[in-house]
């Protein structure tokens, strides 16, 4: 098979949550465990940091990976979903897995993958582990796909677990309360391996405490380890004054990622990096830490986080796609200077729009659209649902045409926002 045929096999032959939704989700570790045994358990050949959470886990994973790269470690990074290229999911020192490596892996293991009925995500995780081992990776940052306890990545035994936060998402699969979702995410906590909690919350702290106690694992609340005393934007980067509790040290840090929500992510990532330096075999200097923050997006090619697409009118895209994430986006939209606001929005069918749509600004003009995905909610249906919550606008079915429509209407002093779904953002990058 060539590369395109290989991708077609992966996307069409194997169940994938990204394309099929819940029917493509195959919980359980039996298949991935059997397959990784078949290929020699490559995930045991390097240190790992495991990152879960409702929002922020992608940014936190990329920031930690960037710092580890700056510290001189050969660093693997496994994330999902991809925006433009499948190979974004698997990186070593910021570079995507070569196309030929993808082809070779599938050619070699095709029959076993079919025999075990691996899901798309299980295959992708195993491919990442195998490529990292081949590439002599020293440490890999592994982001969960969905949940934690039954996620295919949960066969690793990390040196640190990180859970960014808990919000209501994928309730049909993970549970319909914060406590139930927290219990699923807490499934990444391993025996005697500390876990960092990015955002403490009295509604779910006890869940983490209970699971950690059962595993004799220490719970570290990031906000007790680091605080952000000052924060502002300068051009395309953010500046932070960070305070470390254990020794009252202060750090003037830059981050080449925008979005006010990165305040929480930088605190979580800083607590993780500090733990790795203080209590694991890894050594991370102050310089590597600050350089890793300054070049997080550059080092790891992270896209879609409050990313500027154009000036005059200011055009921003963001991959926030659940109530927890959209709440942050809505706050940022309010605080960003503009005259009129145009929002190009699309969602997938299984989103809980009753909790998302009321968060969005009513004064904006909406151009409702749908991505090229089987899971996309039709633009006309979204338009009708949005009207119930006082969001007025029009439907333009194709994403590029919807963005062009917004550009036709917007003046230079206006603002255009594109989001609601990872798939929508992928089509404008």
């Amino acid at each position: 098979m060539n590369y395109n045929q290989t991708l077609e096999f992966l996307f069409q032959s194997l169940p994938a949550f990204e394309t099929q939704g819940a029917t493509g989700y195959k919980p359980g570790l039996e298949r991935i465990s059997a397959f990784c045994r078949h290929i020699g358990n490559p995930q045991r050949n390097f240190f790992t940091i495991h990152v879960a959470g409702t929002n922020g886990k992608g940014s936190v994973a990329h920031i930690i990976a960037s710092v580890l790269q700056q510290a001189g470690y050969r660093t693997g990074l496994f994330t999902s979903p991809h925006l433009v290229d499948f190979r974004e999911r698997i990186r070593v020192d910021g570079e995507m897995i070569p196309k030929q490596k993808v082809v070779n892996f599938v050619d070699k293991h095709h029959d076993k993958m079919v025999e075990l009925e691996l899901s798309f995500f299980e295959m992708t995780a195993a491919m990442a582990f195998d490529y990292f081992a081949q590439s002599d990776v020293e440490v890999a940052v592994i982001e969960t796909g969905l949940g934690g306890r039954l996620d295919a990545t949960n066969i690793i035994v990390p040196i640190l677990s990180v859970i960014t936060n808990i919000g209501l998402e994928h309730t049909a699969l993970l549970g319909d309360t914060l406590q139930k979702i927290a219990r699923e995410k807490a499934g990444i906590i391993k025996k005697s391996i500390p876990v960092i909690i990015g955002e403490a919350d009295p509604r779910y702290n006890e869940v983490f405490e209970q699971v950690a106690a059962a595993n004799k694992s220490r719970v570290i609340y990031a906000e007790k380890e680091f605080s952000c005393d000052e924060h502002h934007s300068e051009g395309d980067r953010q500046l932070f004054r960070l305070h470390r509790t254990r020794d009252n040290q202060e750090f003037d840090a830059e981050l080449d990622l925008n979005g006010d929500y990165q305040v929480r992510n930088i605190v979580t990532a800083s607590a993780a990096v500090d733990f790795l330096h203080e209590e694991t075999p890894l050594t991370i200097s102050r310089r590597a830490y600050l350089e890793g923050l300054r070049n997080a997006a550059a080092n790891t090619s992270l896209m879609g986080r409050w990313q500027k697409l154009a000036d005059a009118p200011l055009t921003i895209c963001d991959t926030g796609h659940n109530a927890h994430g959209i709440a942050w986006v809505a706050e940022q939209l309010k605080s960003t200077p503009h005259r009129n606001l145009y929002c190009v929005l699309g969602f997938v069918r299984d989103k809980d729009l009753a909790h998302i749509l009321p968060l969005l600004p009513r004064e904006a003009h909406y151009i409702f659209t749908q991505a090229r995905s089987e899971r996309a909610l039709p633009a006309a249906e979204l338009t009708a649902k949005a009207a119930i919550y006082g969001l007025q606008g029009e439907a333009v079915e194709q994403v590029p045409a919807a963005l062009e429509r917004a550009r036709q209407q917007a003046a230079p002093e206006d603002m255009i926002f594109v989001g609601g779904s990872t798939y929508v953002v992928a089509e404008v990058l």
Side-chain angles (χ1 to χ4, degrees):
M1 288 190 287
N2 62 27
Y3 179 67
N4 288 335
Q5 291 168 329
T6 300
L7 284 191
E8 190 174 341
F9 162 73
L10 295 178
F11 283 111
Q12 300 300 326
S13 303
L14 301 175
F17 180 83
E18 281 92 341
T19 55
Q20 299 174 24
T23 58
Y25 174 57
K26 297 181 74 171
L29 304 180
E30 304 82 10
R31 293 175 303 277
I32 183 74
S33 297
F35 185 68
C36 282
R37 278 197 303 274
H38 172 73
I39 62 175
N41 282 318
Q43 75 279 6
R44 297 178 182 173
N45 289 10
F46 40 84
F47 292 127
T48 55
I49 295 105
H50 206 185
V51 185
T54 299
N55 286 300
K57 62 182 186 292
S59 293
V60 167
H62 281 79
I63 293 169
I64 294 171
S66 175
V67 171
L68 291 168
Q69 284 173 230
Q70 291 287 166
Y73 292 103
R74 192 150 171 79
T75 305
L77 177 61
F78 176 66
T79 58
S80 62
H82 64 273
L83 282 169
V84 179
D85 188 325
F86 165 80
R87 298 177 302 135
E88 294 167 28
R89 296 166 179 260
I90 303 170
R91 295 180 182 274
V92 173
D93 286 347
E95 297 293 322
M96 295 189 293
I97 182 173
K99 290 181 179 179
Q100 195 57 48
K101 291 288 187 182
V102 176
V103 173
N104 293 349
F105 182 83
V106 174
D107 278 347
K108 184 175 181 180
H109 302 296
H110 173 278
D111 292 347
K112 195 67 174 179
M113 290 192 293
V114 172
E115 176 194 327
L116 291 171
E117 298 182 341
L118 291 192
S119 71
F120 170 83
F121 186 76
E122 288 168 334
M123 179 285 310
T124 307
M127 183 188 295
F129 299 151
D130 184 70
Y131 179 59
F132 293 162
Q134 280 183 34
S135 303
D136 297 323
V137 156
E138 296 167 279
V139 56
V141 184
I142 309 293
E143 179 194 4
T144 60
L146 181 64
R149 181 175 65 92
L150 300 176
D151 189 77
T153 62
N154 207 26
I155 63 168
I156 64 173
V157 180
I159 55 175
L160 176 65
S161 303
V162 180
I163 302 173
T164 56
N165 52 50
I166 302 297
L168 289 173
E169 187 185 29
H170 303 305
T171 52
L173 302 173
L174 302 179
D176 57 2
T177 67
L178 291 177
Q179 291 79 12
K180 288 177 183 175
I181 294 172
R183 194 159 292 280
E184 287 299 311
K185 309 260 186 207
I188 71 166
I189 299 173
K190 302 293 192 306
K191 287 199 182 302
S192 303
I193 306 297
V195 59
I196 287 178
I197 307 301
E199 295 173 34
D201 190 307
R203 293 173 295 176
Y204 56 68
N205 289 348
E206 191 178 344
V207 174
F208 295 133
E209 298 279 358
Q210 288 172 351
V211 175
N215 283 282
K216 297 183 169 57
S217 302
R218 177 154 56 109
V219 176
I220 302 167
Y221 290 103
E223 294 153 319
K224 291 183 179 177
E225 304 299 314
F226 277 80
S227 60
C228 180
D229 298 338
E230 226 177 279
H231 160 239
H232 66 276
S233 295
E234 274 190 16
D236 289 337
R237 54 186 53 236
Q238 298 191 76
L239 278 64
F240 304 84
R241 170 68 58 86
L242 299 172
H243 176 263
R244 187 167 62 196
T245 306
R246 67 177 170 84
D247 57 3
N248 281 325
Q249 280 280 313
E250 291 202 329
F251 301 87
D252 287 316
E254 292 181 32
L255 184 68
D256 62 346
L257 290 168
N258 282 305
D260 288 345
Y261 53 77
Q262 296 296 355
V263 171
R264 303 212 173 188
N265 294 333
I266 200 172
V267 165
T268 303
S270 295
V273 166
D274 192 56
F275 173 86
L276 292 172
H277 175 69
E278 289 290 308
E279 303 197 41
T280 77
L282 302 176
T283 300
I284 302 167
S285 69
R286 182 188 182 109
R287 180 175 178 178
Y289 162 61
L290 294 175
E291 287 291 318
L293 295 177
R294 185 178 295 121
N295 300 303
N299 283 343
T300 63
S301 302
L302 179 60
M303 297 185 292
R305 272 59 170 190
W306 202 258
Q307 182 174 340
K308 185 164 73 172
L309 301 176
D311 291 297
L314 174 63
T315 306
I316 297 288
C317 68
D318 192 273
T319 54
H321 57 271
N322 51 46
H324 194 268
I326 292 289
W328 277 97
V329 166
E331 283 299 312
Q332 185 98 39
L333 288 172
K334 277 185 202 169
S335 64
T336 304
H338 60 267
R339 191 183 68 172
N340 296 315
L341 175 62
Y342 295 84
C343 291
V344 177
L345 279 189
F347 293 93
V348 294
R349 292 175 186 270
D350 58 2
K351 284 297 164 216
D352 183 5
L353 295 182
H355 284 96
I356 292 173
L357 294 175
L359 300 170
L360 293 165
R362 290 192 178 193
E363 67 277 8
H365 178 77
Y366 289 87
I367 300 168
F368 300 107
T369 190
Q370 63 193 75
R372 294 191 305 268
S373 166
E374 295 171 27
R375 295 178 61 205
L377 181 69
E381 194 176 327
L382 175 57
T383 305
K385 289 187 175 182
I388 297 169
Y389 299 94
L391 306 182
Q392 300 300 318
E394 57 194 289
V396 177
E397 288 190 359
Q398 296 183 331
V399 174
L403 178 55
E404 184 55 35
R405 174 69 176 150
R407 285 176 172 153
Q408 288 168 358
Q409 297 181 66
E413 60 270 30
D414 294 337
M415 178 180 180
I416 298 172
F417 173 77
V418 184
S421 162
T422 303
Y423 305 110
V424 170
V425 171
E427 292 189 34
V428 301
L429 291 175

